[in-house]
Amino acid sequence: MAREKARAVEICTDSPEATGELAKKLGSRLRAGMVLCLVGDLGAGKTLFAQGIAAGLGVLDEVTSPTFNLMNLYAGRLPMAHFDLYRLEDEAELDEIGFYEYTDEPRGVALIEWADKFPAALPEAYLRVELRPGDTKEARHITFSPVGGGYDELMASLEALGKGRPDD
Ligand code: ADP
Ligand code: MG
């Protein structure tokens, strides 16, 4: 029997600041081994979301887009590996940039922009975060869907955040 599909949570934001705040709250709740796949078009807000996550992890360094260097590493409460696969052409290069080292049983957390480009390379379990434009210039629909196990607690937090309830 097919496994029951875990429920997705959608949260809408109306400014970059709101997206940053949401990501920061999520970042403060991440645990070692978690992987976030950030999906959405150019300018959707993936890097901005990653910056908020970093803030929530207590990263003090400036977080910049890894579009050209493919991966940046940061030290926070947990180590954070930030990938951007936009410019990667060949899946075989993932090994060279240390992708699997940081996404298969990572010691810290891994964030992957353009994760959907190489679906076969993704770990068994991750949180998919899709950002889509909304009705206005600064509106975004952010959908969180867990793939594989291990994200129940985080999903409960997100559900509470989406309802505007403090969850703990
Ligand atoms: P990506 O990494 O997906 O290409 P960026 O995070 O680099 O996108 O850029 C997102 C841009 O969209 C930023 O200039 C940001 O200020 C703007 N923006 C406007 N509204 C929002 C919002 N609600 N959430 C996130 N970004 C927003
Ligand atoms: Mg980006």
Side-chain angles (χ1 to χ4, degrees), residues 18-101:
T19 297
E21 273 307 307
L22 172 65
K24 186 176 174 183
K25 284 178 187 157
L26 184 63
S28 70
R29 290 163 171 80
L30 293 182
R31 290 197 315 272
M34 289 183 159
V35 176
L36 267 55
C37 291
L38 304 175
V39 177
D41 286 339
L42 273 179
K46 301 180 294 301
T47 297
L48 190 130
F49 196 88
Q51 288 164 339
I53 291 284
L57 284 168
V59 171
L60 298 176
D61 287 338
E62 189 195 353
V63 173
T64 55
S65 175
T67 306
F68 293 97
N69 39 330
L70 304 173
M71 181 190 64
N72 290 327
L73 277 177
Y74 299 94
R77 172 173 65 80
L78 297 167
M80 172 180 132
H82 182 195
F83 292 90
D84 186 330
L85 308 184
Y86 185 64
R87 283 180 181 270
L88 199 80
E89 278 166 18
D90 182 357
E91 189 165 339
E93 291 170 63
L94 287 173
D95 215 7
E96 291 161 32
I97 65 169
F99 183 79
Y100 300 106
E101 191 184 323

Side-chain angles (χ1 to χ4, degrees), residues 36-47 49 83 111-119 122 126-133 140-145 147:
L36 267 55
C37 291
L38 304 175
V39 177
D41 286 339
L42 273 179
K46 301 180 294 301
T47 297
F49 196 88
F83 292 90
L111 311 186
I112 312 165
E113 295 191 37
W114 296 97
D116 48 344
K117 242 182 109 175
F118 301 107
L122 299 182
Y126 58 87
L127 182 69
R128 185 175 194 275
V129 182
E130 183 175 356
L131 297 105
R132 281 176 294 112
R140 297 290 188 275
H141 299 284
I142 309 175
T143 310
F144 301 89
S145 19
V147 174

Side-chain angles (χ1 to χ4, degrees), residues 31-34 78-79 101-102 104-109:
R31 290 197 315 272
M34 289 183 159
L78 297 167
E101 191 184 323
Y102 292 102
D104 286 340
E105 299 178 38
R107 282 176 301 117
V109 304

